[in-house]
């Protein structure tokens, strides 16, 4: 009998204690900017060429870091903003696709509210820079007089540029299919908004490379047309948003990049402008921040009753244990 009473009161204590464990409640807050950002792509997204740039990508005034700082302040009451920058210097669109398919970005993609992508520049500008440096021997130390001497052979330059143009067109055709694969794969791994930025033209007002400006404009315009055309599917449904960096930079490539040093990457002012361009696009959507708080659905009286019952049951258990000990002591006596 004593064992049954002990078991009963023990079960009562455990049951009542369990009643004091309340479930958590998730409250969703609608905000104007994404709490979790993932940046993918190339050296432009990494901030290459900026003062303070390092391989960790978080120590310079890149557009990714500028957006994070702005949103972190704006979302302060909701826990701030988290930025993961997984861009890789030198990556082409095919290399980005391979990274995504391996699964190395899966966890960050699953957590992301916005995925910002800068890709395509190395697909075509990489070919162009190779041509300048390897075929023409143009380096940051090359003077204007040197460039004039190197481009005197108009016929030879024209033939070389024809080959370059063909290589770029081939790269653009491949980029078209690869971009679709990138977006489709990301959509299987993330519910976040996808933002793809267009490519600016670093040569648009760089007179030292006037002979190449026409080709640069033509190929970059084709790349950007692909980015814009693929933003919707065949039914007109949005697949991703476009941040038109090209239009923002138009006519100011020399001032917003390091092209004077034969470096196509954006300078500090260029990154600030890219941040502003992406921010405008991001704010066309709403985002959700989830806050976990204790469930407040139970009344105060119910909680008090649970505490009282638990205390009573615990007290009864103590009395039983004490009585059992006394009985054993008397038997021994």
């Amino acid at each position: 009998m004593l064992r049954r009473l002990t078991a009963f009161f023990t079960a009562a204590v455990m049951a009542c204690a369990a009643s004091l464990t309340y479930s958590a409640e998730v409250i969703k807050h609608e905000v104007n900017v994404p709490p979790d950002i993932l940046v993918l792509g190339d050296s432009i997204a990494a901030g290459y060429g900026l003062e303070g740039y390092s391989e960790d990508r978080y120590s310079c005034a890149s557009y990714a870091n500028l957006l994070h700082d702005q949103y972190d302040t704006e979302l302060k009451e909701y826990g701030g903003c988290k930025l993961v920058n997984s861009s890789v210097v030198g990556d082409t669109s095919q290399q980005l696709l391979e990274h995504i398919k391996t699964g190395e970005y899966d966890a960050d993609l699953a957590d992301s509210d916005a995925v910002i992508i800068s890709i395509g520049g190395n697909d075509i500008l990489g070919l162009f820079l190779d041509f300048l440096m390897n075929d023409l021997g143009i380096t940051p130390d090359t003077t204007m007089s040197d460039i004039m001497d190197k481009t005197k052979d108009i016929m030879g330059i024209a033939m070389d540029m024809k080959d370059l143009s063909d290589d770029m067109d081939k790269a653009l055709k491949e980029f078209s299919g690869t971009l679709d694969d990138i977006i489709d794969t990301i959509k299987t791994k993330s519910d976040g908004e996808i933002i793809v930025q267009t490519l600016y033209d670093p040569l648009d007002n760089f007179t030292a490379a006037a002979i190449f400006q026409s080709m640069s404009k033509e190929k970059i315009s084709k790349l950007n047309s692909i980015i814009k055309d693929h933003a919707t599917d065949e039914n007109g449904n949005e697949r991703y948003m476009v941040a038109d960096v090209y239009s923002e930079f138009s006519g100011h490539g020399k001032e917003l990049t390091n092209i004077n040093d034969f470096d196509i990457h954006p300078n500090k002012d260029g990154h600030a402008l890219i941040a502003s361009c992406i921010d405008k696009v991001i704010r066309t959507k709403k985002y959700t921040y989830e806050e976990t708080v204790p469930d407040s659905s139970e009344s105060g009286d119910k909680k008090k009753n649970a505490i009282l019952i638990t205390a009573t049951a615990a007290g009864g258990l103590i009395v039983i244990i004490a009585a059992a000990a006394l009985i054993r002591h008397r038997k021994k006596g």
Side-chain angles (χ1 to χ4, degrees):
M1 182 65 179
L2 182 62
R3 290 180 179 176
R4 292 179 181 177
L5 287 172
T6 302
F8 170 75
F9 277 101
T10 301
V13 171
M14 294 178 65
C16 291
S19 71
L20 293 175
T21 303
Y22 306 109
S23 60
E25 180 183 6
V26 177
I27 300 177
K28 293 185 178 182
H29 302 276
E30 188 178 81
V31 290
N32 296 320
V33 294
D36 288 276
I37 300 173
L38 175 62
V39 175
L40 300 176
D42 49 28
S43 55
I44 296 174
Y48 182 87
L50 289 173
E51 181 180 354
Y53 167 80
S54 63
E55 290 186 2
D56 71 0
R57 298 178 291 278
Y58 300 103
S59 304
C60 58
S62 67
Y63 66 80
N65 292 334
L66 293 175
L67 288 171
H68 167 261
D69 292 346
Q70 179 181 349
Y71 298 164
D72 193 49
T73 299
E74 192 167 334
L75 297 174
K76 186 176 181 180
E77 66 178 294
Y78 301 115
C81 174
K82 174 188 173 185
L83 167 68
V84 175
N85 190 337
S86 294
S87 54
V88 179
V89 174
D91 258 10
T92 62
S93 59
Q94 184 60 44
Q95 288 171 318
L96 173 58
L97 177 61
E98 290 169 1
H99 286 304
I100 296 171
K101 284 187 172 181
T102 61
E104 63 182 283
Y105 301 150
D106 280 6
D108 294 324
L109 282 167
D111 291 340
S112 63
D113 298 298
V115 182
I116 302 172
I117 302 174
S118 167
I119 203 67
N122 290 316
D123 293 50
I124 56 173
L125 288 182
L127 295 172
F128 183 72
L129 291 178
D130 284 344
F131 171 74
L132 292 180
M133 292 186 291
N134 298 329
D135 292 4
L136 296 184
I138 295 177
T139 70
D141 297 325
T142 301
T143 65
M144 180 66 72
S145 177
D146 293 334
I147 294 176
M148 295 300 294
D149 288 338
K150 293 176 183 295
T151 56
K152 282 182 178 178
D153 181 10
I154 301 300
M155 291 298 295
I157 290 292
M159 292 184 66
D160 289 340
M161 289 183 67
K162 174 65 169 61
D163 292 338
L164 174 62
S165 178
D166 291 342
D167 289 341
M168 285 184 166
D169 286 339
K170 180 180 178 181
L172 287 167
K173 185 176 181 180
E174 293 174 354
F175 173 78
S176 180
T178 305
L179 178 62
D180 282 339
D181 290 341
I182 288 172
I183 300 303
D184 290 342
T185 308
I186 288 177
K187 283 184 172 294
T188 66
K189 301 172 182 287
S190 174
D191 293 326
E193 297 290 347
I194 303 174
I195 301 99
V196 181
Q197 59 199 69
T198 57
L199 179 64
Y200 56 86
D201 184 357
L203 301 182
D204 65 357
N205 65 337
F206 186 52
T207 55
I211 192 173
F212 308 113
Q213 284 177 336
S214 177
M215 177 181 290
S216 175
K217 181 178 181 179
E218 176 194 352
K219 305 307 180 185
I220 290 176
S221 294
K222 285 184 177 180
L223 177 81
N224 291 334
S225 292
I226 293 171
I227 291 174
K228 291 178 180 179
D229 291 345
H230 289 228
T232 55
D233 61 22
E234 61 275 9
N235 297 318
N237 300 313
E238 181 181 89
R239 301 177 67 219
Y240 56 84
M241 297 185 288
V242 176
D244 195 4
V245 174
Y246 175 86
S247 295
E248 296 286 345
F249 270 57
S250 184
H252 303 285
K254 184 177 179 181
E255 294 79 23
L256 297 172
T257 69
N258 297 314
I259 194 63
N260 285 327
D261 297 321
F262 286 90
D263 175 7
I264 64 170
H265 295 93
N267 56 28
K268 183 178 180 180
D269 292 338
H271 274 274
L273 187 57
I274 294 175
S276 175
C277 180
I278 294 175
D279 177 64
K280 293 175 185 176
V281 175
I282 281 179
R283 292 180 186 277
T284 62
K285 303 287 186 177
K286 294 294 182 181
Y287 307 86
T288 301
Y289 171 81
E290 295 185 351
E291 180 183 10
T292 303
V293 297
D295 190 352
S296 59
S297 61
E298 297 181 82
S299 67
D301 289 341
K302 188 174 181 181
K303 293 178 182 178
K304 290 178 182 178
N305 289 339
I307 294 172
L308 180 59
I309 294 171
T310 303
T312 302
L317 181 59
I318 292 171
V319 170
I320 292 173
I321 294 172
L326 180 60
I327 291 170
R328 290 195 188 97
H329 178 70
R330 287 180 177 177
K331 283 183 178 180
K332 289 181 180 178

